[in-house]
Structure formats: C-alpha cells, structure tokens
Amino acid sequence: LGIHRNMEPLYDIPTPRLVKHRVYDLPLRTSALRTLGGFGNVFAIESMMNELAEACGQDPFEFRLAHLSDARAVDALNQLNRLIDNHKSEFDSDAGIGIGFARYENSAAYCAVAIILKVNHSAEVELQYALCVADVGEVVDGEGVKAQLEGGIIQAASWSLYEQVDYDRDGIISRDWDSYPIITFGNIPKTDIHLIDRPGMPYLGAGEAAAGPTAGAIADAIYDAVGLRVRQMPFNTAAIKAVALQS
C-alpha cells in the first residue's frame, strides 16, 4: 500500500496515464522505511524531467518552470536557482550539479534540492554540497524544520548511494553494517537550507519532503559529472561501472 504516493507529477502534463502494479505472493515481505512510494516515484519523475530537458536542449530549471502553474512551486525553484548561483564560486570545476523537486504527496511541503558532487577514479560518489529551498507554509520553528530537511537529505543520500538488501534462496543475508552499509560522516555534504516563510498559511509537514528530490538530484549530478545515467539504486561503484561498461 502507498506505492502510488507522488506517482502523479505536479507538473502540467496533458493526459497522464498512471499505472499502479501490485505483485502478490512474494517470498519476502517488503515495506518502506519512510515516504512509502514517494521516494521512488519522485526519483523517477525528476530523472525523466532532467532527461527531457536535455533532449529539448533546455536548462533543467527552465524546462520545469515551463511545465508548472503552481506559483509556490515556481517560487521554490527560482530561489534554488539563485542559491546555486550564490555558491557557484565554491564548486570544483569538475563537479556535477543536479536538481530535484517535488511537493510531497502533492499536498504537503514544496522542496527543491540541488546536489553538487564528484565521482572519483574508483567510481565512488563524493558529495560536496546539498542546497535546499523549502516552502512549508507558516514557519514556527525554523531550526527544527531545517533539521528535518537536512536529516531527510542525508538519509535519502544513504538510500541512493549505499543501502541495499541482499538475499538468497534462504532469505535476507544483509544482517550487519558490513553487508548493509549506510552513509558515514566522511561523505556528508555541506548544506545550505533556505525556508520560504508564509505567515498565515497552513502548516505543511517537512519530515519526508526532501527524500525524492535528493535522489533525483544525485542521479542528475552523477550524469553531469561523468555523463553516465544511472537508473538503478544504489548508485554505488558497481552500479556506476556497470553503466560505464554498457555505454
């Protein structure tokens, strides 16, 4: 249940066709840690938006803005664009930049994320910056909201780059932190999170808003850095090398 969360894009797409597949009687019971289907669906949508922008020869921001009629979504993306410009002098020349955006559940917080990263000679992703603009309605505890968003970005980066459950015919074999790695302090990016405060507007939850946009931004930043479109998570060394061999 919940695999349909954020399946419908916020973008203005004529005659969308949304299909929800449910597979029964699997040998292993699966569930989501957070966001249910939102993480995967936003990742897929945002990856496709980046690919479509490139196919049309358009800037990824301009392409998104051309397909958005929600003024608050437009505001979040424009502010993220300005935030990237403010930090651009700090980025390495060979770093990749990627963006992702969503309104969680199409009814909660708006969140736009930019990820700046490098892919080293060992095909390992090195996160450098995570920039974020979020509209959560009226802000009561700004530092608390920023902490929620920062935590969501870091957890989503861990899902995107490291976390994977392995199994064999007898069941799950990922049973410790060696066989199930997570992100560590050595790859935590610098963060800059800006909130759009809207006094008098309804409060919007922020806890899971950053997850999907972060995954989309990481995938696009990898492509920007090394020209490889990685579509299967985690985006670890093996996945990146596999895509390189197919290219």
Side-chain angles (χ1 to χ4, degrees), residues 5 17 22 32 41 48 64 75 78 89 111 118 121 124 128 132-133 137 146 149 164 197 228 233 239:
R5 185 169 292 182
R17 179 174 180 266
R22 297 189 66 182
N41 289 331
M48 182 56 68
R64 284 170 169 80
D75 196 9
N78 281 329
S89 62
C111 187
K118 296 175 71 173
H121 295 299
E124 298 167 331
Q128 296 190 321
C132 175
V133 174
K146 288 182 179 181
L149 293 165
Q164 176 175 283
D197 191 10
L228 297 174
M233 294 183 188

Side-chain angles (χ1 to χ4, degrees), residues 82-177:
R82 289 193 290 269
L83 188 59
I84 292 173
D85 285 339
N86 291 342
H87 283 278
K88 245 177 186 172
S89 62
E90 305 164 28
F91 304 159
D92 292 344
S93 59
D94 58 345
I97 303 175
I99 65 169
F101 165 77
R103 183 180 188 188
Y104 188 57
E105 294 188 288
N106 287 0
S107 61
Y110 299 81
C111 187
V113 174
I115 296 291
I116 294 83
L117 58 77
K118 296 175 71 173
V119 180
N120 65 26
H121 295 299
S122 299
E124 298 167 331
V125 174
E126 299 174 350
L127 300 175
Q128 296 190 321
Y129 284 87
L131 311 177
C132 175
V133 174
D135 176 350
V136 298
E138 182 171 357
V139 176
V140 176
D141 177 7
E143 291 305 309
V145 173
K146 288 182 179 181
Q148 285 287 315
L149 293 165
E150 184 176 11
I153 290 169
I154 293 171
Q155 186 175 38
S158 186
W159 293 343
S160 300
L161 298 177
Y162 299 98
E163 299 185 37
Q164 176 175 283
V165 175
D166 293 317
Y167 56 91
D168 60 19
R169 61 183 298 170
D170 298 318
I172 293 171
I173 58 176
S174 302
R175 295 183 176 275
D176 55 38
W177 297 122

Side-chain angles (χ1 to χ4, degrees), residues 54 119 219-230 243-244 247:
E54 182 183 33
V119 180
D220 194 45
I222 292 172
Y223 180 77
D224 189 51
V226 294
L228 297 174
R229 184 67 68 181
V230 188
V243 173
S247 299

Side-chain angles (χ1 to χ4, degrees), residues 183-189:
I183 200 168
T184 59
F185 286 112
N187 204 18
I188 301 299

